Amino acid sequence: MAEQLTPMEMAQSQLKAAAEKLDLDKGVLEMLLEPQRVVIVRIPVKMDNGTTRVFTGYRSQHSDAIGPAKGGVRFHPDVSLDEVMALSFWMTFKCGVVGLPYGGGKGGVAVNPKELSQAELERLSRGYVRALYDVLGSEKDIPAPDVYTNAQIMSWMMDEYSVIRRYTDFGMITGKPIVLGGSKGRSEATARGVVVTTLEAIKKMNMHISDATVAIQGFGNAGSVAANILYNLGAKIVAISDSKGAVYSENGLDPKALEKHKDETGSVVGFLGGRDIAGGELLELPVDILIPAALEKVITEDNAPYIKAKIVAEAANGPTMPKADEILNKNGVLVIPDILCNAGGVTVSYFEWVQNNYGYYWSEDEVNSRLTEKMQDAFFSVWQMSTEYNTDMRTAAYMVAVKRISEAIKLRGWV
Ligand code: NAD
């Protein structure tokens, strides 16, 4: 039977592997295995029809050892305490691996936002900030968009926070529209980071991007931007999927034409520039690079033995189950772990916060070149660690982050 782990158990098992290699102090490990603070709130919202609905909201702050907590707010019916805790946990290590001066946070509301009117959504967003005002702030915990939250919701949250504080505080949240202190390059940042780390991995495998074939699971923000950048660099994108199915062409797909088809029909399925295949088939295609950019837990012990890609670049959070990881490592697949691969998004969120604090805004070129430098440095640190300790890239990424955080915890005198 396939592994049954909660997101929190999955996160903890990844940390324990790194802790063992580093012979980590038991006190530090104890500190990091659970979030430092979890807040659960009830948010009453007056509905348009005059009734009141009460939603449950969460904020988990996993660690503030090296800086304020940082992480998105998710509006989704399946949001749960365990999920929010695990996501905040991953944020600590994601920020740690890139060397951002942040700890991990994450929040959410159990709600189906598609059932709410815009006015109800605004009242819910403002209610979330009112309920959590005391634990949020640019020096405490800085939210951002996540599943089903966007720049408009960030604007309402920033405004509500500013109304309570009696002055405009752009730096309390990131992922805002440009006019309200957002950063240029934020929406493409995750995919850019995925591409930068993939290019570094390609060099290590003595391959060349213009000879590489790529399959991408998911054609949303991360997947579609990554497809376009890789295509423009000369890679051959042979397969792309979305929630309805997948399309394949051994001669390569044109992502721009595919985007147009998806806009017109609602899916990549039926694209005339390729032929339809089953979504699951995409993962097992004979390609050089596989980019899971959709959901968690898609690479399992059942399909891992059939994965033929030389590089798996985890744009999605948590796409690979621990047992699948072991199989991929044994088969010599180079996995660029999520906490490294998709850290471009939080890196440009950090740039947004820096620009807010400075009140001086950078050009898109400046954002992109700083992002490239940070992601290359992070890849290099993880690669070095993996070579030095003869371990896989995921464990090495945790080790890079854990070393930084552990040093901070000890210097602060917590342990
Ligand atoms: P998105 O909602 O824009 O896109 C998700 C895509 O996945 C859609 O094309 C959807 O159709 C597709 N999808 C859903 N179910 C699928 C299935 N069963 N098979 C194939 N495709 C399926 O989301 P996004 O922002 O691109 O995020 C994708 C992943 O990347 C998530 O795991 C997210 O946590 C992670 N991530 C995103 C960012 C970011 O800044 N956008 C940052 C870090 C991590």
Side-chain angles (χ1 to χ4, degrees):
M1 198 172 91
E3 272 176 292
Q4 299 291 336
L5 293 178
T6 65
M8 201 52 200
E9 287 165 342
M10 205 167 138
Q12 288 169 333
S13 93
Q14 292 163 347
L15 171 62
K16 283 179 186 162
E20 202 173 303
K21 283 260 173 199
L22 284 173
D23 199 14
L24 189 69
D25 183 294
K26 287 218 160 31
V28 174
L29 180 61
E30 282 285 300
M31 268 311 292
L32 293 175
L33 278 173
E34 300 283 339
Q36 274 175 222
R37 180 199 263 163
V38 175
V39 186
I40 304 177
V41 291
R42 299 283 283 156
I43 309 166
V45 175
K46 292 238 160 57
M47 306 304 282
D48 293 345
N49 65 7
T51 61
T52 296
R53 278 182 68 188
V54 185
F55 297 92
T56 302
Y58 304 91
R59 191 73 195 166
S60 169
Q61 297 168 343
H62 176 261
S63 171
D64 65 358
I66 53 175
K70 180 91 191 81
V73 182
R74 180 171 287 201
F75 283 0
H76 192 278
D78 298 338
V79 163
S80 67
L81 183 59
D82 187 87
E83 181 186 66
V84 167
M85 282 166 56
L87 291 165
S88 73
F89 185 112
W90 278 313
M91 284 305 294
T92 296
F93 299 100
K94 195 178 292 190
C95 294
V97 77
V98 191
L100 306 180
Y102 287 143
K106 204 77 175 197
V109 178
V111 57
N112 182 356
K114 291 179 184 166
E115 289 172 357
L116 301 190
S117 68
Q118 277 294 97
E120 290 164 345
L121 199 56
E122 177 174 349
R123 290 194 284 273
L124 175 64
S125 307
R126 290 183 184 277
Y128 182 82
V129 168
R130 275 199 305 280
L132 288 162
Y133 176 80
D134 293 321
V135 299
L136 300 178
S138 63
E139 281 114 28
K140 292 187 203 170
D141 181 356
I142 306 139
D146 195 76
V147 176
Y148 292 149
T149 56
N150 54 27
Q152 174 61 76
I153 291 175
M154 299 305 108
S155 306
W156 290 324
M157 290 186 170
M158 184 279 295
D159 184 70
E160 188 65 24
Y161 190 85
S162 300
V163 165
I164 300 171
R165 289 212 82 168
R166 311 298 295 153
Y167 66 85
T168 295
D169 187 348
F170 284 160
M172 65 76 54
I173 206 161
T174 60
K176 304 178 293 292
I178 301 274
V179 71
L180 292 178
S183 177
K184 292 193 172 130
R186 172 62 187 89
S187 48
E188 303 84 34
T190 300
R192 276 192 186 282
V194 170
V195 172
V196 171
T197 53
T198 302
L199 292 178
E200 293 304 311
I202 283 180
K203 277 192 225 156
K204 297 293 181 197
M205 303 288 273
N206 292 321
M207 291 156 47
H208 200 276
I209 187 67
S210 54
D211 304 324
T213 52
V214 185
I216 304 179
Q217 181 188 49
F219 201 49
N221 177 294
S224 68
V225 179
N228 275 297
I229 303 176
L230 287 168
Y231 176 82
N232 290 334
L233 289 171
K236 197 191 278 182
I237 317 289
V238 294
I240 294 183
S241 65
D242 63 17
S243 58
K244 306 219 172 82
V247 59
Y248 171 79
S249 164
E250 65 180 338
N251 298 323
L253 302 162
D254 174 353
K256 278 270 168 282
L258 187 58
E259 254 169 42
K260 188 162 172 280
H261 172 81
K262 186 169 169 120
D263 285 347
E264 285 163 7
T265 65
S267 169
V268 298
V269 173
F271 180 58
L272 291 177
R275 68 180 167 82
D276 293 348
I277 58 169
E281 226 181 296
L282 175 140
L283 298 171
E284 299 172 16
L285 288 172
V287 291
D288 297 308
I289 303 163
L290 172 65
I291 305 184
L295 307 171
E296 59 278 11
K297 299 185 185 179
V298 291
I299 303 181
T300 64
E301 60 193 301
D302 296 331
N303 59 20
Y306 306 105
I307 286 182
K308 298 170 195 77
K310 299 182 185 76
I311 295 170
V312 172
E314 294 184 340
N317 282 314
T320 309
M321 297 294 284
K323 282 194 181 149
D325 234 359
E326 282 171 27
I327 298 168
L328 296 181
N329 289 327
K330 212 163 64 202
N331 291 346
V333 180
L334 176 55
V335 177
I336 313 171
D338 48 6
I339 60 169
L340 167 65
C341 191
N342 70 33
V346 69
T347 301
V348 174
S349 274
Y350 163 60
F351 294 164
E352 178 174 336
W353 177 79
V354 169
Q355 292 170 82
N356 293 154
N357 289 344
Y358 260 102
Y360 179 77
Y361 290 85
W362 308 341
S363 68
E364 191 161 347
D365 282 350
E366 183 156 10
V367 170
N368 290 343
S369 75
R370 286 178 191 260
L371 171 64
T372 301
E373 194 184 317
K374 277 238 165 262
M375 296 301 296
Q376 283 172 335
D377 286 353
F379 184 94
F380 182 72
S381 307
V382 174
W383 183 266
Q384 288 278 94
M385 185 68 88
S386 102
T387 316
E388 191 182 325
Y389 283 81
N390 189 24
T391 188
D392 61 281
M393 290 285 279
R394 188 182 319 279
T395 307
Y398 272 91
M399 289 166 76
V400 168
V402 166
K403 263 192 145 179
R404 285 189 178 129
I405 300 160
S406 151
E407 195 185 340
I409 287 179
K410 287 196 166 163
L411 285 168
R412 292 179 74 147
W414 293 356
V415 167

